[in-house]
Structures are given as C-alpha cells and as structure tokens.
Amino acid sequence: MASLLAVGIVVGLLQLAGGLLSVRNYRRRSKLLESGELHELLDILQAELGLTCRIELRECEQLTTAATIGWRQPVILLPPDWRDWTLDQKRAVLAHELAHVASGDYIACLLAQLGLALHFYHPLVHWLVARLRLEQELAAD
C-alpha cells in the first residue's frame, strides 16, 4: 500500500514539474512586447489596482488566450492576435490578468497543485483545487 502511495506522489510531482517546465518554455519562446500604447494602458491599470511590481508583457505564439505566469516577476503572455483587439478588449484582458497578479493567484495555484500531488488519492482535494481555480477566475473577472 505504501508503495502505491509513493508512486502516486512521484507521478503527481512529475506532472507538476512538467507543468513548470512548460511554463518556462512559454516564457522563453515568447517575445517581449514594446508597444507604447499597450504599456501605457498597463501602467494606468497597475496604478488603478495599486500594483507597484514590474510586469513584463510578452507575445507567445503557442497561446490562444492571455495568461499570467510568475509571482516574483510576473509576466503577462498575450496571443499573437492581440493587435486585432479593440481598446476595450485590451483593457479588459489586461485588467483581468492584473487581477490575478494582485491576488497572488499563480503561487496559490502552484501550492494547490503541490497539495494535490501529495494528496492525489483524496477526492475532496481534487474538488478543492478545481474550486480554487474557478474562484480565481471569477474573482479576476
């Protein structure tokens, strides 16, 4: 029984490590955005939310939607079609992603995944992690 538990934990930790490697690859393959309009909008929204940390804006070819990664040095990854968005759409997407940064969602999700890897056998932990993700998205909206 203990060996099955150990195997399950190792598999969960390997999945977590694989996810972190994927995130690192997204960041590494992305291009730094230098759009003055977008950075100006980001600065305004950061001021409105009271965020003082430096946040990078990057374009990632592999993504079809915006995403936020990192907690010490957050990065907002945008899909290639962000240039086709209206100003209101850009504002809404950046505000949503900044809300994730402001509430520390990345580190919370990372810790939840670690807890899930260690307690993979318990259905309540699976439900709680899924609920956390849903609540994070609803709160950011």
Side-chain angles (χ1 to χ4, degrees):
M1 186 65 167
S3 61
L4 284 176
L5 183 64
V7 167
I9 290 172
V10 168
V11 167
L13 292 174
L14 287 173
Q15 286 178 327
L16 180 59
L20 290 172
L21 285 174
S22 292
V23 167
R24 190 179 85 179
N25 284 336
Y26 282 143
R27 183 178 188 157
R28 200 181 307 158
R29 291 180 182 166
S30 64
K31 299 181 297 189
L32 189 62
L33 289 175
E34 309 221 0
S35 166
E37 172 198 9
L38 207 56
H39 281 283
E40 184 177 320
L41 184 56
L42 180 70
D43 291 342
I44 291 168
L45 292 169
Q46 274 189 263
E48 288 176 3
L49 290 171
L51 289 171
T52 58
C53 61
R54 186 176 155 275
I55 299 172
E56 277 187 18
L57 284 175
R58 301 182 77 85
E59 182 179 310
C60 184
E61 295 282 330
Q62 293 80 24
L63 296 180
T64 58
T65 187
T68 300
I69 59 174
W71 73 91
R72 289 182 305 178
Q73 297 174 338
V75 175
I76 296 176
L77 298 173
L78 297 175
D81 67 343
W82 70 268
R83 289 173 186 83
D84 300 332
W85 298 346
T86 65
L87 182 60
D88 286 339
Q89 289 172 322
K90 291 174 189 173
R91 175 183 286 279
V93 168
L94 289 178
H96 178 91
E97 298 306 325
L98 286 173
H100 283 302
V101 172
S103 59
D105 287 349
Y106 185 84
I107 190 70
C109 188
L110 188 62
L111 292 173
Q113 286 301 123
L114 179 60
L116 184 59
L118 298 175
H119 300 284
F120 68 93
Y121 54 86
H122 203 298
L124 181 60
V125 177
H126 286 266
W127 182 82
L128 288 171
V129 171
R131 187 66 191 194
L132 174 66
R133 287 186 195 129
L134 175 63
E135 292 297 328
Q136 287 174 333
E137 287 303 318
L138 292 175
D141 286 341

